[in-house]
Amino acid sequence: MINRVSSKLLVRELFVFITAVVLSACGGTDNSTGTTSNDESNVLSGSNVNVNNENVATVWKTVDASWQHSAAIKSDGTLWTWGDNGFGELGDGTNSNREVPVQISGAEWKSVATGNIHTIAVKGDGTLWAWGNNFYGQLGNGAVNYGAGENAPVHIGNDNDWVSVSAGYDYSVAIKENGTLWAWGNNMRGQLGDDATVDHYVPVQIGSSKNWISLAAGNLHVVAIKADGTLWAWGDNTFGQLGDGTTEQRNLPIQVGTDTDWVTVSAGNYHTLAIKRDGTLWGWGSNGVGQLGDGASIQRLSPAQIGLDANWAAVTAGAFHTIAVKSDGTLWGWGDNWRNQLGDGTTTQRRSPTRIGVDTDWSRAAAGGAHNIALKRNGTLWTWGQNDYGQLGNGTSVRTQDRRIPTRINDAMVWKKIAAGGDHTVGIKDDGTLWAWGDNTNGQLGDGTTVYRKNPIQIGGATDWTFATAGTSYTLALKNDGTLWAWGYNGFGQLGDGTTIDRHQPIRIGTATNWTSVVAGYSHSVALKTDGTLWAWGDNASNQLGINTLTRSNVPIKISSSIGWRSVAVGAFHTVAIKADGTLWAWGGNWYGQLGDGTNTNQNVPVQIGTDQDWSTVAAGSGDTFAIKSDTSLWGWGYNQSGQLGDGSVENRSSPVQVQAGAETGWINIAIGDDHCVAIKADGTLWAWGYNLYGQRGDDVNLTVDSTPSRISDDTPWSGVAAGAQHSVALKADGTVFTWGNNYYGQLGIGVSGIDQNSLVPIAIP
């Protein structure tokens, strides 16, 4: 008997209304649209986001972050907020937390600043608005609210000459068009700069100077720059954050040093960072967790240069960490990292600037309490770090959904198709580009190397990919001209190029231009043409090619003379397919009953399974098979020692048995891993069952076996699933992709890899 495959398994493509690995020959390729007029057309297709900024409504212009909420303005002037909203600090008229950006009423917003639990903003007409907590009068509307505060924008005063604002913990500061400086709210540490410690409930002018050009409010201190390039500070100075060489509180602005070349400044909880005209970076104040970035943990009472680089372009100080951008577009972070706020994939504290990722197109960033927001030069918005209150804006709000690396939030160009191989994943975006990540030992990612990738990497520059399928260690894909391409491991001829040589980049298979869909397995491949014929190639030791011999083929060979095949799926050593009349057929290895014909006997040609004619979708695993009928009932058979058939037992089945979980119907999509299954119902809910050593079920439980389907996550709607050997992938209706399970090779695509980097719950990829 052939031993069961237990370490690497097969692709399960993501479809929206059709299960994984469905191949259809109901129509040809529509070259004008880049999609196929068959079942494949059911795959989710979202709207393009133009990264060249031509569609300005989708481009972000400015961002800000507080302890637990975030705000951003788009280039069309609309204002958006998300995260914690207990005091109405989001301004959407409610006190409900928001896990994704929600638009705030009004238009033509010019600037926004987030305090601890309040927000201040300026409109294009120069009017000032505020909302959120008002315990100390930090809204500036002349009142003090000890309750929930204001949950919608409140117009502050009658002036229309405000240009910029900054918000501290529970106070606010702003600059008018004439260069005057104003402040209001809590003044317990002199942070309002009016030479007193009395709170103010409306804006009051600070001094008589009219040449203020920029300012930054920290926890209880303020730093600002005048038009002459001088730097000034006031307020709390417990840790030397004012930079005047002392730890004395200052109730009036005091000049920091004598330099006149300061261009930008940012204030954190108790530390301050600033950049000079020559591009050098300077820091002072608290440094207990390395937030100054000078390689030490000693507080600085006056500005100290950070390193020797002279190409710093922007800096933002968080609570106890710092994020900065260089003029070359690289992103850097240092300081506290307990909630992944440095974005380097770890929780390791950094005392010197550490580069975040490899991208070179960052433009600006905003650091919050333990999360960050950043913009790229193309106007896309990225977040990472703590997410307890939804402050990352990615649709989740639990600690397990922190992001270890910058992750683009949901205005991103959406994923259209995803396939999971043994330990690698491939996907196609709605612009037709092809991406891959994970194990690359045999070149299965197609990037010309054998280096595994922890983040999605684009494969080539083509934009006409329409379909992809990932086998154990190889990949097959189709372009919109109907051509077939392959790369990766080829020891059994499963690439179909006439050789057994591994390929590290996509290579075209044959000359045919009428391939409509293809599926990759453990060591053999099967595909459909537009004429309804079925073709197979690769390993054939168990008759899985269905050609009545045990001879393998390293080029596509036609299976029987039949036509009218509608869909097909391949397991490790068996193949199952559905004809246009709804009948189900199977062939190949059958030692676990995976063919479903009631026996354990291999079949060397297609044999009909039962007499039913209402099968609509089929999927195959290493030693098991699943199929969905037209009434949306789900059936499984074959190997079941880990409960993967979902029938409540761990007994192998040689004939179809129904999978039950609550309602017996409603199943629309299923994917099979090595010993686990993930599936979607018509109501958009996500389910999983079977083995869970690596968290591949996604139910936040480890080392258990579940022989009946359990719902995964409360999120909806899910639209498609894919399963690798020990990891899972799912697609939401908005085009975002989530992964979970084994991440040894980086197959989750979340920027990290290793034996301790598995995820027990779905986590969004960039």
Side-chain angles (χ1 to χ4, degrees):
M1 180 181 293
I2 297 176
N3 290 330
R4 184 167 181 274
V5 177
S6 60
S7 62
K8 300 230 181 213
L9 224 264
L10 323 151
V11 67
R12 303 294 159 252
E13 289 81 25
L14 277 174
F15 284 19
V16 171
F17 300 113
I18 305 297
T19 191
V21 298
V22 172
L23 310 182
S24 175
C26 298
T29 299
D30 180 354
N31 292 325
S32 64
T33 63
T35 59
T36 55
S37 53
N38 51 41
D39 285 351
E40 194 178 312
S41 63
N42 287 327
V43 178
L44 178 68
S45 178
S47 300
N48 281 310
V49 173
N50 193 315
V51 298
N52 293 319
N53 290 356
E54 294 173 4
N55 186 0
V56 296
T58 65
V59 175
W60 299 93
K61 183 176 63 174
T62 186
V63 294
D64 199 39
S66 76
W67 271 94
Q68 294 165 170
H69 76 288
S70 309
I73 298 174
K74 288 187 176 182
S75 54
D76 62 356
T78 56
L79 174 63
W80 303 72
T81 59
W82 61 96
D84 190 20
N85 199 26
F87 288 87
E89 56 264 47
L90 299 188
D92 66 343
T94 77
N95 290 84
S96 300
N97 296 353
R98 301 295 184 178
E99 298 174 350
V100 296
V102 59
Q103 186 175 349
I104 306 308
S105 62
E108 295 304 321
W109 295 94
K110 183 167 59 176
S111 65
V112 64
T114 55
N116 178 41
I117 46 179
H118 78 289
T119 305
I120 305 290
V122 177
K123 284 189 175 183
D125 60 3
T127 55
L128 182 66
W129 300 74
W131 55 93
N133 181 256
N134 200 27
F135 191 89
Y136 293 95
Q138 59 262 50
L139 299 189
N141 63 346
V144 175
N145 302 110
Y146 296 102
E150 302 286 349
N151 60 18
V154 175
H155 189 187
I156 308 303
N158 297 313
D159 296 342
N160 59 359
D161 56 349
W162 300 98
V163 293
S164 64
V165 289
S166 186
Y169 188 83
D170 43 22
Y171 67 99
S172 307
V173 288
I175 296 175
K176 287 190 173 184
E177 289 178 354
N178 62 2
T180 55
L181 180 65
W182 300 71
W184 59 97
N186 189 356
N187 197 25
M188 63 181 294
R189 300 308 298 267
Q191 61 265 44
L192 299 190
D194 65 342
D195 199 21
T197 55
V198 178
D199 298 349
H200 289 286
Y201 306 147
V202 295
V204 294
Q205 186 173 344
I206 308 306
S208 59
S209 296
K210 295 184 177 182
N211 61 343
W212 299 101
I213 59 172
S214 67
L215 75 165
N219 191 35
L220 297 169
H221 76 290
V222 181
V223 284
I225 298 174
K226 288 187 175 182
D228 60 4
T230 56
L231 182 65
W232 300 73
W234 60 96
D236 183 31
N237 197 25
T238 306
F239 297 92
Q241 59 264 47
L242 300 188
D244 66 345
T246 77
T247 56
E248 297 179 19
Q249 177 176 311
R250 305 293 185 177
N251 298 340
L252 285 170
I254 182 171
Q255 186 173 349
V256 180
T258 60
D259 293 341
T260 59
D261 57 349
W262 298 101
V263 294
T264 185
V265 66
S266 181
N269 261 19
Y270 307 107
H271 74 293
T272 307
L273 278 297
I275 299 174
K276 288 188 175 182
R277 190 173 296 115
D278 62 3
T280 56
L281 178 65
W282 300 73
W284 57 95
S286 178
N287 196 27
V289 289
Q291 59 263 54
L292 295 186
D294 63 352
S297 56
I298 302 171
Q299 71 181 31
R300 305 290 183 182
L301 304 185
S302 57
Q305 187 173 349
I306 310 305
L308 299 176
D309 293 344
N311 62 340
W312 296 100
V315 65
T316 174
F320 301 101
H321 73 288
T322 304
I323 303 294
V325 178
K326 288 187 175 182
S327 58
D328 61 3
T330 56
L331 184 67
W332 301 74
W334 56 93
D336 194 19
N337 198 23
W338 75 291
R339 292 299 292 270
N340 306 284
Q341 57 261 54
L342 297 189
D344 64 350
T346 76
T347 54
T348 303
Q349 187 182 106
R350 308 291 184 181
R351 298 183 183 275
S352 299
T354 300
R355 185 170 174 182
I356 301 172
V358 298
D359 293 346
T360 58
D361 57 348
W362 298 101
S363 63
R364 69 184 68 181
H371 78 289
N372 308 280
I373 313 172
L375 292 177
K376 287 194 173 183
R377 290 170 179 166
N378 62 6
T380 55
L381 185 65
W382 301 69
T383 61
W384 66 97
Q386 184 184 20
N387 197 36
D388 291 358
Y389 297 90
Q391 57 263 53
L392 297 189
N394 60 12
T396 62
S397 60
V398 293
R399 180 165 184 165
T400 54
Q401 292 298 321
D402 287 2
R403 294 294 180 258
R404 299 173 178 176
I405 60 172
T407 303
R408 188 174 175 182
I409 66 171
N410 289 352
D411 68 324
M413 186 174 298
V414 300
W415 295 93
K416 186 169 62 173
K417 302 181 181 71
I418 292 289
D423 292 309
H424 76 291
T425 311
V426 295
I428 297 174
K429 291 188 176 182
D430 61 359
D431 63 351
T433 55
L434 179 66
W435 300 72
W437 58 96
D439 186 22
N440 198 24
T441 304
N442 300 101
Q444 57 262 50
L445 299 187
D447 66 345
T449 77
T450 56
V451 177
Y452 70 82
R453 304 292 184 178
K454 295 177 286 186
N455 289 315
I457 182 172
Q458 186 174 347
I459 308 306
T463 59
D464 57 349
W465 298 100
T466 60
F467 188 87
T469 173
T472 302
S473 297
Y474 71 105
T475 307
L476 304 173
L478 299 178
K479 289 190 173 183
N480 63 13
D481 60 2
T483 56
L484 174 64
W485 299 72
W487 57 96
Y489 182 61
N490 197 27
F492 296 93
Q494 60 263 54
L495 298 188
D497 67 343
T499 76
T500 55
I501 301 171
D502 290 0
R503 304 292 185 177
H504 298 165
Q505 291 179 302
I507 181 173
R508 183 174 173 181
I509 307 306
T511 60
T513 58
N514 62 339
W515 298 103
T516 185
S517 209
V518 63
V519 61
Y522 178 69
S523 55
H524 77 292
S525 308
V526 185
L528 281 168
K529 288 187 175 181
T530 56
D531 60 5
T533 56
L534 191 61
W535 300 71
W537 59 97
D539 189 20
N540 197 29
S542 301
N543 302 113
Q544 58 262 51
L545 298 189
I547 56 176
N548 201 26
T549 76
L550 293 174
T551 304
R552 72 175 60 162
S553 176
N554 56 20
V555 294
I557 185 171
K558 189 176 180 181
I559 300 176
S560 79
S561 59
S562 298
I563 59 173
W565 295 100
R566 188 179 70 194
S567 62
V568 66
V570 297
F573 303 104
H574 74 294
T575 307
V576 287
I578 297 174
K579 286 189 174 182
D581 61 4
T583 56
L584 181 67
W585 300 72
W587 57 97
N590 196 28
W591 41 91
Y592 296 109
Q594 58 262 50
L595 298 188
D597 64 351
T599 76
N600 294 97
T601 304
N602 293 359
Q603 300 290 342
N604 56 15
V605 294
V607 295
Q608 187 174 348
I609 308 305
T611 59
D612 292 346
Q613 296 184 329
D614 56 349
W615 298 102
S616 62
T617 304
V618 65
S622 59
D624 50 359
T625 307
F626 286 85
I628 299 174
K629 289 190 173 184
S630 57
D631 64 357
T632 66
S633 59
L634 178 62
W635 301 73
W637 56 96
Y639 189 76
N640 195 29
Q641 297 304 298
S642 296
Q644 60 264 53
L645 294 188
D647 67 342
S649 78
V650 290
E651 300 177 10
N652 297 346
R653 306 290 188 179
S654 60
S655 298
V657 293
Q658 189 170 356
V659 177
Q660 297 183 3
E664 298 179 2
T665 59
W667 300 99
I668 60 171
N669 198 324
I670 184 170
I672 311 171
D674 205 8
D675 291 297
H676 76 289
C677 297
V678 285
I680 293 174
K681 286 191 173 184
D683 60 3
T685 54
L686 180 66
W687 300 74
W689 60 96
Y691 198 48
N692 201 38
L693 177 64
Y694 301 94
Q696 57 263 54
R697 278 205 316 261
D699 57 1
D700 203 19
V701 179
N702 210 353
L703 298 173
T704 64
V705 168
D706 192 346
S707 60
T708 57
S710 296
R711 184 173 173 183
I712 307 305
S713 164
D714 293 329
D715 291 343
T716 57
W718 298 94
S719 59
V721 286
Q726 297 144 354
H727 77 289
S728 305
V729 189
L731 181 67
K732 278 194 171 182
D734 63 4
T736 53
V737 171
F738 288 72
T739 60
W740 61 97
N742 192 354
N743 195 32
Y744 185 82
Y745 295 99
Q747 57 264 51
L748 299 190
I750 56 176
V752 294
S753 64
I755 196 170
D756 60 343
Q757 297 295 339
N758 300 342
S759 178
L760 303 183
V761 295
I763 183 170
I765 67 170

